[in-house]
Amino acid sequence: MTALLDVDGVRAGYGDFQALFDVDLTVAAGGATAVIGANGAGKTTLLRALCGIVPITAGAIRFDGADLGSMPAHQRVAAGIAMVPEGRMLFPSLSVEENLLVGGHRPGPGPAWTVDDVLELFPLVRPLLDRPSSVLSGGEKQAVAIGRALMARPRVLLLDECSLGLAPIVVRQLYASVPQIQERGTALVVVEQDIGQALAVADRVSCLLEGRVVLEGRPDELGRDEITAAYFGTGGAE
Ligand code: ATP
């Protein structure tokens, strides 16, 4: 497997508080790696470390063979790493179209995405283009947030808790876009508390528990009981 993103022994935290302990993670070029874990397991911190928002205190993050080291966040976007943050974080006073265009302000090296491409991926967004993003439903906002991140032309898209607060049918619609994003050549890291949804789209899964990877592998090779035990920290998963 060719690793596009290779996280090796990463430690990170907030001041004196260590949130990640020697975390390893691999994302194949064009692949999808799921990171699952309960509240506070460190999933968001891991994504922030990949983006350069939270500095790492040990270990290495290699992207396409290059060590990201202390590369600042804006350079990582230019290198092809884009994040869809938890809570969507759209600009409320801008229209949907403007939110999308903001994403493409400094395009990275990944597959080209235009507003039309985003509308093809999420047809529900088309009639909303002129509306302020503040009036959208949660699912609509999430689609726009994913579209905005794609407009930055990432080689890897980091998706944080995409399903949070959304109805199951909306979540399924959003996740239906994942194979299409991969087909165009963008890999994904999918952070989820919804284990079933994460496993359905991922070719690798890592389970975090209290800042440590306690289970890693291919979803089709790991048993559901094994994954559930690792998620909740019960059973013998170490
Ligand atoms: P959730 O699903 O609740 O978002 P998570 O798995 O994403 O959880 P993180 O948000 O990465 O977990 O949090 C990991 C640990 O770091 C938790 O103990 C949390 O309280 C702590 N933490 C997160 N953000 C901060 C911060 N800004 N300052 C201090 N501690 C933080």
Side-chain angles (χ1 to χ4, degrees), residues 165-178:
L166 302 180
I169 186 169
V170 179
V171 174
R172 279 198 296 278
Q173 284 169 355
L174 289 168
Y175 271 101
S177 70
V178 168

Side-chain angles (χ1 to χ4, degrees), residues 131-157:
R131 305 228 184 125
S133 69
S134 55
V135 304
L136 306 188
S137 70
E140 292 164 349
K141 281 182 183 157
Q142 189 66 68
V144 175
I146 295 171
R148 181 182 59 181
L150 290 172
M151 293 284 292
R153 297 175 61 168
R155 297 182 65 198
V156 63
L157 183 70

Side-chain angles (χ1 to χ4, degrees), residues 49-174:
L50 297 179
C51 290
I53 300 168
V54 168
I56 63 173
T57 52
I61 301 173
R62 284 179 282 273
F63 184 54
D64 202 14
D67 194 342
L68 292 187
S70 55
M71 184 187 281
H74 69 277
Q75 282 179 18
R76 295 191 200 199
V77 178
I81 299 176
M83 178 154 155
V84 183
E86 191 179 326
R88 292 118 206 181
M89 305 290 182
L90 297 179
F91 297 103
S93 62
L94 297 186
S95 71
V96 166
E97 185 170 20
E98 286 165 341
N99 267 282
L100 292 175
L101 291 172
V102 163
H105 181 56
R106 282 189 169 186
W113 284 86
T114 63
V115 171
D116 276 341
D117 293 329
V118 172
L119 298 179
E120 209 172 296
L121 189 66
F122 297 118
L124 63 95
V125 173
R126 188 177 292 278
L128 308 171
L129 277 180
D130 292 337
R131 305 228 184 125
S133 69
S134 55
V135 304
L136 306 188
S137 70
E140 292 164 349
K141 281 182 183 157
Q142 189 66 68
V144 175
I146 295 171
R148 181 182 59 181
L150 290 172
M151 293 284 292
R153 297 175 61 168
R155 297 182 65 198
V156 63
L157 183 70
L158 313 179
L159 208 51
D160 195 2
E161 304 265 10
C162 167
S163 66
L164 211 66
L166 302 180
I169 186 169
V170 179
V171 174
R172 279 198 296 278
Q173 284 169 355
L174 289 168

